[in-house]
Amino acid sequence: MLEITNLTVRFGGITALQDVGFTVAAGEMVGLIGPNGAGKTTLFNCMTRRNRLTSGTMRYLDTDLSTVRPDALAALGIARTFQNLGLFPRLSVRENILVGAHHRACAGFVSAGLRLPKVRREEKLLRAEADELLERLDLTAVADHPAAGLPFGTLKRIELARALAVRPQLLLLDEPVNGLSHGEVDEFAARLRGLQADLALTVIVVEHHMGFVMGTCDRVICLEFGQVIAEGEPEAVQQDPAVIRAYLGASA
Ligand SMILES: Nc1ncnc2c1ncn2[C@@H]1O[C@H](COP(=O)(O)OP(=O)(O)O)[C@@H](O)[C@H]1O
Ligand SMILES: [Mg+2]
């Protein structure tokens, strides 16, 4: 589904990614780990066209991702969540989720303005789908509440629901369980596995939480200083001396 080759990203003098290459098959759940500053978010930003690549290629299905405009990603079936949440604080939870489905509202400006029957049908369908996601992610009770002021664990679920409203094939999650309690992490992991199976998702998940990564991912890729230093089954990567060194520093 995804083939990244020789991806290099530089910001002025900083090399955030250097010759990164890997593939992801449809249906896989791949963990992307590595210390802070390793380039994980930059990789997502590059794939979702927020950062420009310096060199290399990114192929998604039959598309060269480097030529895709950011606003065309949703239609290609790519959705992401953000490390620091990408929600609109003043919009309700339901409205935030509808933002994710925005690209599927195909009624034009004029027909929307006139509220033609086609527009109303479309709205109804998108709302019904949003309500299904709300239900699925235990958000029905807060559906009409503004995102601002809700507990952090709830915001993380809204963020996931917004990405799922895109109806993605490829889902990119940036530190989805960071800041959650133990119980919430387990719950999120179980939920994610259920969603992946039901919605036939391919997932790349950036996470530091080793328990989550080990229990959830089929395969793990470890980045350090913008380079892939290990890749393989979760247990093997966790025990890889280079990975242990990267996380614990030279003293290890
Ligand atoms: N827009 C940017 N401009 C300059 N440097 C950046 C930018 N984005 C990221 N970097 C740098 O690239 C490196 C990788 O950052 P990042 O991808 O956020 O790491 P991670 O997500 O693995 O913690 C860091 O050194 C960071 O400071
Ligand atoms: Mg990051």
Side-chain angles (χ1 to χ4, degrees):
M1 174 175 263
L2 180 72
E3 185 179 41
I4 307 277
T5 43
N6 297 110
L7 184 65
T8 296
V9 176
R10 289 197 197 96
F11 300 107
I14 298 170
T15 302
L17 293 172
Q18 168 100 51
D19 280 329
V20 166
F22 61 90
T23 60
V24 176
E28 266 194 306
M29 175 105 74
V30 174
L32 187 60
I33 65 170
N36 279 326
K40 305 178 299 296
T41 297
T42 301
L43 179 60
F44 276 9
N45 284 345
C46 208
M47 289 172 61
T48 54
R49 316 299 303 120
R50 296 184 144 237
N51 287 160
R52 241 192 237 198
L53 57 82
T54 306
S55 58
T57 61
M58 304 184 291
R59 183 152 286 280
Y60 164 75
L61 300 174
D62 288 325
T63 308
D64 171 4
L65 272 186
S66 68
T67 64
V68 172
R69 287 175 30 168
D71 59 0
L73 286 164
L76 283 176
I78 299 178
R80 74 175 287 183
T81 65
F82 293 88
Q83 191 171 340
N84 301 314
L85 301 169
L87 300 170
F88 293 95
R90 283 197 253 185
L91 293 186
S92 74
V93 172
R94 183 186 281 107
E95 285 163 343
N96 266 285
I97 292 170
L98 283 166
V99 169
H102 162 78
H103 70 102
R104 290 174 38 231
C106 45
F109 178 70
V110 173
S111 49
L114 297 172
R115 299 197 48 84
L116 297 177
K118 180 183 144 208
V119 177
R120 267 178 275 143
R121 268 200 306 278
E122 195 175 88
E123 257 180 36
K124 220 172 134 185
L125 177 74
L126 293 179
R127 278 182 81 87
E129 284 181 17
D131 285 348
E132 213 177 294
L133 279 173
L134 285 164
E135 193 67 45
R136 175 115 211 199
L137 290 161
D138 285 332
L139 294 167
T140 304
V142 292
D144 298 311
H145 192 289
L150 290 170
F152 188 67
T154 308
L155 296 177
K156 289 290 217 187
R157 291 209 305 284
I158 303 168
E159 178 81 353
L160 177 62
R162 184 189 48 74
L164 290 173
V166 168
R167 290 235 217 142
Q169 286 180 271
L170 178 62
L171 180 61
L172 310 174
L173 304 177
D174 201 348
E175 306 206 13
V177 303
N178 181 33
L180 299 186
S181 70
H182 278 303
E184 287 174 324
V185 172
D186 291 346
E187 194 194 305
F188 193 97
R191 208 186 284 278
L192 181 60
R193 277 194 299 263
L195 288 163
Q196 189 209 11
D198 293 353
L199 307 175
L201 297 171
T202 305
V203 182
I204 307 179
V205 54
V206 166
E207 223 353 291
H208 283 292
H209 194 292
M210 280 297 168
F212 174 84
V213 170
M214 295 299 136
T216 315
C217 299
D218 305 312
R219 193 154 58 87
V220 175
I221 298 167
C222 182
L223 287 179
E224 186 190 24
F225 299 125
Q227 291 182 294
V228 175
I229 59 162
E231 178 181 349
E233 302 214 333
E235 293 73 23
V237 170
Q238 192 182 25
Q239 286 162 24
D240 191 310
V243 174
I244 295 170
R245 254 195 321 273
Y247 269 95
L248 302 180
S251 61

